[in-house]
Structures are given as structure tokens and as C-alpha cells.
Amino acid sequence: MEALKNHGVKAKMLVRDRSGDSLTVVGLPRSPLLRWHFLWERLVVFFHLRFQRERLFEIDIANAGSDITRLPEFREADVVHLHWVNQGMLSLKDIRRILREGKPVVWTMHDIWPATALCHYTRGCNNYRSQCHHCRLLPGGGSRSDLAARVWQRKAALLDGQNVFFVACSRWLEGEARRSALLKGQPVTCIPNAIDTRIYCPQDKRKARLELGLPVEGRVILFVSQRVTDERKGIAYLIEAVRKLVDSRPELRDDTTVAILGSHAQSVADRLALPVHVLGYVSDERTIVSVYNAADVFVTPSLEDNLPNTIMESMACGVPCVGFRVGGIPEMIDHKSNGYVAQLRDSDDLARGMGWVLCEADGDRLRHEAVRKVSQHYSQTSVSLRYIEIYQQAIAQKHFRL
């Protein structure tokens, strides 16, 4: 939104839960139903999981939400741009209402959910290429007519005869979306997320470490995850890679620290072979920028990811990254130019990558190339101009069809 506003587009953001006092961010009308929409969907999912909590937030069925078509913000809009609308924001019925209003609709996919029935990450399942059913997220592997199959039919009916401009944040996700039978015939393109390089930028490393209570001298390895124990984020591979890194380079024991940003970090701290500094969960943007600037290398061992903002934010702060060759990560990290791309699920290669960045590579060149990559590909200017082009296409096509 800020990128668009900075380039002459009048934009407003409608959110489920508003925070802050920005005049261009609008929350849904206050109502007890907002909380109920979220709870009702979780209850239905919980029932279909046979009251098992393990995958409770891996599934979204969009069975409850708010009708936004009567709001003045919707009525005033020339283009409706959907983003992540799950967990009580919009239901499938609400999205159908939006489409039936006839306004051009652009939908940015931050994960694969718009192209599948239930899941945000397919974890190797290819059913969505024909039709979702026998869902592995459901107890017993689901069935031919399980919850996934029923939600798939609702989504298919929703898009039938409609033309939505889908935007994936990575070329990898664009390829996955194009393979979805659900999106067959729909326009799909790729535009990365934007980042404000005025905020995320290189700062004084010593000052950042003093603010955070990190060792001023020595090396800092950074790991970030909203929930550190999320299996998809690959903490087990980081633990193993750190052990192998220390075994191969024992001198690092004396001057290297692992900083972990995110919830549940304390539960894994004693499993790492290096001293750990637990930063906890942080929402303050200024502090997050300091965290990145305090690091020498950012490690993201995700097993499945789209276009991680954490990599973009780290690189914008001049911090080289190490990650697995999966999803959109190789599009961001240029191997041995601004970081290191390790083979998927290979903790030995992940350890080699960390060792290369910390001990062998030209640090100044890595930092320079990281900042340059962000400024060229993820700046507000480059991203906003590409979205403006999509909006123009959507408006022109809608007028043509009329």
C-alpha cells in the first residue's frame, strides 16, 4: 500500500484487526461476529480433525467471514486487491459476492491456498493438479469425498466464469499455481513483495549488538521464525548443521553465538552446539532491523517456503543468507554471490554454507551484493510499477468484457 501511494495510486487497506492510527488502514466494523467467524472455522476444522490439535492451523476452509461489499471502501474502489484473507476475514461466500459485483479483482498469493482446497503448503502432494481429495492433513488420509474435495468444489464454483488476476510472490509459486486445475484459464503472473529500503538498511553492527545484549565481538548466526518449533522452518536441520559446523571448525566455539528470534526458542536452545541468545518474539520494526544488523549470517533452513520476507529483510540490511534450494529461496539468494544455497535437507551442505560465509568469503562483497539484489528486485518502485500495470490490465479487460 505504501509503495503504491508513493507512486501516485490512491490505496486503502482493509484488515480484520486494525492496529495503529494510519488513515489509509481501515478495520472491519467492530462486531462480536469477528471473533466468532474465527472460532467457528476452527471448531469445524477441529471436528474434521477428530479433535486432534496437531494440524489445527494448517487447514483453512473459509466457511465464515465478513461481507465487505457494502462498505464505502469497497464501493469507492476501482480495483479490489485481495491478499491473505483467511481465519475469519473473508469466507468463500464473501469472495463470491466480491466477484459478482463486477469490479476487477487482483489476488496476491502469499502461499498456495488459493490454488488448493485446504492447505497453505502442499508438502509434496500433487492432488491439486487435478482435484483435491484424500487429503493427507485429515485423519486417515481422508477419502474421495472428504472435506478437501467438498471445499475444492466450492472454490471451483466460485471461480467458474470469473476472471481473477492471480499474482504469485515467487516464480516457484507461479509455477505451482499454473499447475493447479482450480486456476486453469486464470491469468497468473509473478511479482515479488516490496520492502521499504529506507527502514531495512545497513546500520552500525556494534550499536545493534549493544542494544540487544549480544556479544560485541565475534560472529553471530541468526535464525528467525514466528514459531521456532514449526517443523517446516527446519530448526532440526539448523541444530544438526551447527553441530557439524563446530566439528569441522572447532575455533568457532569460542567466538560464535546463535541468536534466535521467535516464540518457543527456549525449547530448542540447549540443543545447539554453540551459545544461544534467545530474543523471543518481537513485533517492533525498529528492533527487528537491529536484530538483522547484529548478525553476520542469516540462516533459513525452511523445507518449503514461498518468498520469505526474512531473507529480503536480512539482505536489505547487508546480511548474507544461507538457505536450502527450495521454493522461492534460490530466486533470492544468488549462490556464492550474496549468500549460499544448500541442497535441500542436507545439513552437511548447510554447515558448509555457514562456514563459507563466516570464514572464507569476502564479507564486504557479500554485503554489497545482498543490498544490491534487494534494491534492484524488491524496491517499492520496481514492485509498485509492476502492480500498476496489472491493475491497468484488469481494468481494461473488465471494460472489454462489458
Side-chain angles (χ1 to χ4, degrees), residues 338-353:
N338 53 39
Y340 189 100
V341 182
Q343 294 305 308
L344 180 59
R345 297 178 183 270
D346 189 337
S347 56
D348 288 298
D349 203 15
L350 196 68
R352 276 193 293 272

Side-chain angles (χ1 to χ4, degrees), residues 99-205:
L99 295 176
R100 286 181 174 175
E101 286 291 323
K103 292 178 181 282
V105 175
V106 176
W107 193 342
T108 292
M109 302 174 59
H110 296 276
D111 54 43
I112 197 66
W113 184 83
T116 68
L118 310 177
C119 66
H120 295 273
Y121 292 91
T122 61
R123 299 178 188 259
C125 173
N126 292 324
N127 283 352
Y128 72 99
R129 298 182 182 183
S130 54
Q131 179 185 339
C132 288
H133 57 79
H134 285 99
C135 182
R136 294 188 299 182
L137 297 178
L138 298 174
S143 67
R144 188 75 192 179
S145 58
D146 60 13
L147 179 65
R150 296 197 296 275
V151 174
W152 176 277
Q153 292 299 334
R154 292 172 201 150
K155 284 188 173 182
L158 172 81
L159 293 171
D160 185 33
Q162 300 292 340
N163 201 3
V164 179
F165 281 73
F166 286 93
V167 177
C169 295
S170 68
R171 292 191 297 274
W172 165 77
L173 185 58
E174 178 190 13
E176 295 294 290
R178 288 183 182 277
R179 295 183 184 95
S180 169
L182 200 59
L183 303 193
K184 186 177 181 180
Q186 300 287 350
V188 182
T189 190
C190 171
I191 303 176
N193 295 327
I195 187 170
D196 191 340
T197 52
R198 298 168 300 178
I199 297 173
Y200 290 89
C201 59
Q203 297 177 3
D204 183 83
K205 187 182 296 290

Side-chain angles (χ1 to χ4, degrees), residues 121 123 172 222-228 230-239 298-311 321-330 332-333 340-346 350:
Y121 292 91
R123 299 178 188 259
W172 165 77
L222 176 63
F223 173 80
V224 177
S225 175
Q226 184 175 10
R227 182 167 59 87
V228 171
D230 183 351
E231 181 183 348
R232 184 175 60 85
K233 293 299 183 178
I235 186 64
Y237 288 90
L238 177 66
I239 292 169
F298 173 68
V299 184
T300 175
S302 290
L303 305 179
E304 189 172 12
D305 231 323
N306 179 18
L307 198 80
N309 285 340
T310 50
I311 292 180
C321 302
V322 176
F324 284 138
R325 186 176 298 281
V326 68
I329 290 175
M332 308 179 79
I333 304 175
Y340 189 100
V341 182
Q343 294 305 308
L344 180 59
R345 297 178 183 270
D346 189 337
L350 196 68

Side-chain angles (χ1 to χ4, degrees), residues 347-373:
S347 56
D348 288 298
D349 203 15
L350 196 68
R352 276 193 293 272
M354 289 190 288
W356 181 81
V357 170
L358 292 173
C359 305
E360 299 176 25
D362 182 337
D364 289 338
R365 186 182 69 83
L366 281 182
R367 288 186 286 272
H368 172 77
E369 290 299 321
V371 173
R372 189 169 71 90
K373 176 67 176 280

Side-chain angles (χ1 to χ4, degrees), residues 91-102:
S91 68
L92 296 180
K93 185 183 294 185
D94 298 322
I95 296 172
R96 174 177 289 186
R97 289 192 184 104
I98 291 170
L99 295 176
R100 286 181 174 175
E101 286 291 323

Side-chain angles (χ1 to χ4, degrees), residues 274-285:
L274 288 169
V276 174
H277 192 98
V278 174
L279 299 172
Y281 179 80
V282 177
S283 58
D284 175 64
E285 194 168 45

